[in-house]
Amino acid sequence: MSEAPPVLEVRGISKRFPGVLANDSVDLTLRKSQVLGLLGENGAGKSTLMNMIYGLYKPDEGEILVNGAPVQIAGPKDAIELGIGMVHQHFQLVDVLTVTENVMLGNETVSGPFLRRDRARREIEQLSREYGLDVDPDAQISDLPVGIQQRVEIIKALYRHADILILDEPTAVLTPQETRGLFKIMRTLLDKGVSIIFISHKLKEVLEICDDVVVLRRGKVAGHADPSASTEQSLASLMVGRDVILEVDKAQASPGDKILNVVNLHVHDDRGLPAVEGLSFALQRGEILGIAGVQGNGQTELVEALTGMRAVEDGRVFIQDTDMTNASPRRVTERGVGHVPEDRQRDGLVASFTVMHNLVLSTYYQSAFSRAIVVDERAIADNARELVEAYDVRPPIINNIAGGLSGGNQQKVIVAREFSRDVDLLIASQPTRGLDVGSIEFIHRQIVRMRDSGAGILLVSSELDEVLSLADRVAVMFEGEIIDILAIDEADRDTVGLRMAGVRGDSQAVVDA
Amino acid sequence: MSAIGKQKGGRRLAFKLTRKRIIAVVLLILGAFIFFESSTLDSELVTTLTFESSSTGEAPAVADIPVPTSSYLLVVGLLFIVTGALNFYEFEISRWRRLSLALMALCGALFIPTVIIAAAAGNDTNLTTIIAESLRLATPLAIGAFAGIWCERAGVVNIAIEGMMLFAACFGFTTLFFLRGAALPLETAQLLALIIGLLAGGLIALLHGWLSITFRTDQIVSGTVINILAVGVTSFVRREYLLSTEAGAAKLGNFAIPILSDLPVIGEAIFTNQPIFFMMFVMLAFTHIVMFYTRWGLRTRAVGEHPHAADTLGINVNRTRWINVFISGMIAGLAGAWFSLEATGSFNDGMTRGAGFIALAAMIFGKWTPIGAFGAALLFGFSDSLGIRLQMVGVGFPVQFLQMVPYAVTLVVLAGFIGRASPPKAVGQPYVKE
């Protein structure tokens, strides 16, 4: 590791929230033109630390030095003036405004009171060229895919002449291709003298791009790691504080009766266009069927149709031999189906409810939690305390508003709710998106446990590694169809990757209907 | 996909009750009604559209247009029916789709002239007067809607426009009434009264800001409180200070815009008018330009849509909101002053008669844009003026029906052509810094 001059130093910073010590005398040093990886579990205090550097929170103790001089950062404005830019985990973009308007907001180019969009646009075009950040300055944000929105966020920082860039879990929402694009951009930025703090859960990525790694655990620095001398295993252990098994340990599947049978299913997307086109498959008890595929090939619509959230246009869905085509979500739930939805904020939680109430969203009306028309708050609280403990939701306060939890902990709440019911069929869509290794390990073990206890599991994931390590059979979706179903021992990365790109095999498996 | 289609989750090719089909049904009903109406009229009847100035009765510069009422209505009725039928059937071929949509737009454009012609049925009807009256009656609605835009674009709901108007109408007039005794020229007194009116609106807006921004009271509750307060305070002021004397004062005087007022017909009907009337156009341009072409407007919209994003860029969310709420109050004050200072020269209890709420409706119909809101206000103004006119002319069927029709059509047209209006995303949510 070269000894470039430090551009940002954090010394002994602490931050207390009611009931939680989020950061406990944290030190870190970012050197010029380097990438500092910041690793930690969900709720380890990474975002809190970054928000202090960006002036959104005020530290209780400690100091921050920029280019060797101690600074006071009272608000984002100060941070921007010091050349610090931040790309937040949830993008801070105004949907209805254009790229240019979003970039200039707060630092508008004006003549008199009037905006000079033309000048800002020229500047954006120049930045685009210089850093390879291809984006249309006149596009409206809501029309752009997340990968491009992220570029807009980076341009926003560069437009304000940031030379210290904080990327808070930038790859959590990206496809593998988009991630490669981001890394290319990051390398260009480093060449131009920008220094980057990179927050991620994905150990592979951290090893690939970072020059130095700091690991946070429960608000404290748990250690440093030199990426050239570390492995995923060693980083994971440092992060969780114990040995983590990255490989999923599972026995051979022993499939039983048919639990889910889908026949010639047709589903439309939001625009009314066909998204699932004549799809058939069957799932048995005691097996995990993984659905692989590049996002946007009908997986979302398939899952929504199975769980009663989207109309089936044609075809049939049978769950345990009962025709459940176009059944309501409650009927589906009561038939013993658990559902971990893809978009947890929209379909998984009521963000303004407490953790405790979110944990009974599908069962609150049943006799365990209600007497006649009155809900039994005590039973709900007891249930919540048990699940928060068992599923390690942090902070473990059942009266917290679910929307205030970090993404990973929100996911744990959903998983706790769905896995704790008596479920015969589990439909899990992107169950570990945005989660840290410890949580992923935990959720994967739970999925295998449910399989072994006789439930059928439909796992939809855009993470190929996840599908390959968990599934017993792999179905690949492409343009609304299942183009191949492979047994796990014949499903290697290359074959599945080809199928995901739409290349059909010569020995096309007969679809089991 | 329509919500109905989704709920029923029918098979493919199932009949779907789309938005277009609903409009088609409305068109069919209207067409049938117009058709029926035409058959009841004497075929000799001729409605004449005239353009003369109402006051002077000078020779018109534009020729009168005679319209044979019965046959006109027959043709329009058939057009509506054909258009309705075409739109009800969902064409697969795009050329037919385009034709049916174009016909639908034509029906929309013909609607208001048709109402005028049908209502006049055989009399002369003066278009210039109707247009000038519509604009005049639209004034408080349009200005009120602009007030709403200023506030809501920054993320603060303002249902207190009605109350702010009432306060401004009352205090503006009270000022004028008491200044009458002082040795001031009338214009000066009126100007001072107007300023006090604006400030009264602004002051009440500050109360709204204090409750809803500082104390994060629910903004609807805060607005309601102000509306109720306005009714009480203004009627108290009237009873205590205005009733005892003969309360009346000169209205704001007419003002002629140079050059434009020399134009034939509209020169007198529109460009010679009272000051708040002209202010409506000034506020339209001002609001539009500020909202979409200035730094302040960009920040305002950002704060109303995604305050946290604005905050991360160093924009002071609550300060932006405070200033917008205050400006909104002053603009609402201008709308209120119209009632007492410009329209009547007096103050009566509850004289704003719900105009603040109609202004809000205009703002929503106009999708929170100044130009859209102005258009909606004009439509409401037209409806008002039509009602007044019909009462004077005395037509054969209930006036209330014709008065109602423009509103009903607005609803259908907006639901059909423009779609759901989406408010600024953060409207109604107090901003809490973490």
Side-chain angles (χ1 to χ4, degrees), chain A residues 260-317:
Chain A
L260 172 68
N261 194 2
V262 176
V263 185
N264 190 29
L265 190 72
H266 287 265
V267 185
H268 289 177
D269 65 11
D270 287 336
R271 292 162 300 168
L273 302 173
V276 174
E277 302 178 73
L279 183 147
S280 303
F281 67 89
L283 171 68
Q284 287 157 300
R285 282 177 180 278
E287 72 160 350
I288 300 175
L289 175 63
I291 301 225
V294 178
Q295 269 204 300
N297 275 292
Q299 299 98 316
T300 308
E301 288 80 5
L302 169 66
V303 168
E304 289 184 355
L306 295 181
T307 51
M309 292 162 63
R310 185 177 284 274
V312 172
E313 301 292 328
D314 199 3
R316 290 257 160 271
V317 176

Side-chain angles (χ1 to χ4, degrees), chain A residues 184-313:
Chain A
K184 217 174 120 202
I185 292 164
M186 284 171 67
R187 292 203 176 94
T188 315
L189 291 170
L190 295 175
D191 288 343
K192 307 258 177 187
V194 176
S195 320
I196 300 172
I197 297 182
F198 180 80
I199 303 178
S200 179
H201 290 308
K202 300 185 184 170
L203 305 168
K204 223 178 252 168
E205 293 173 358
V206 170
L207 289 177
E208 184 182 338
I209 193 96
C210 295
D211 297 294
D212 187 13
V213 179
V214 169
V215 180
L216 282 187
R217 190 164 71 227
R218 304 203 177 223
K220 284 186 195 156
V221 175
H224 281 262
D226 177 358
S228 57
S230 306
T231 61
E232 286 183 54
Q233 192 66 57
S234 67
L235 286 182
S237 308
L238 195 54
M239 193 163 126
V240 183
R242 60 179 163 81
D243 282 338
V244 177
I245 305 132
L246 291 176
E247 298 288 306
V248 181
D249 181 27
K250 64 181 172 55
Q252 189 72 30
S254 48
D257 308 339
K258 209 178 270 182
I259 178 98
L260 172 68
N261 194 2
V262 176
V263 185
N264 190 29
L265 190 72
H266 287 265
V267 185
H268 289 177
D269 65 11
D270 287 336
R271 292 162 300 168
L273 302 173
V276 174
E277 302 178 73
L279 183 147
S280 303
F281 67 89
L283 171 68
Q284 287 157 300
R285 282 177 180 278
E287 72 160 350
I288 300 175
L289 175 63
I291 301 225
V294 178
Q295 269 204 300
N297 275 292
Q299 299 98 316
T300 308
E301 288 80 5
L302 169 66
V303 168
E304 289 184 355
L306 295 181
T307 51
M309 292 162 63
R310 185 177 284 274
V312 172
E313 301 292 328

Side-chain angles (χ1 to χ4, degrees), chain B residues 86-87 91-101:
Chain B
L86 284 179
N87 277 291
F91 286 103
E92 298 287 335
I93 309 158
S94 67
R95 205 189 318 157
W96 281 97
R97 285 181 86 94
R98 272 206 300 276
L99 176 71
S100 55
L101 282 174

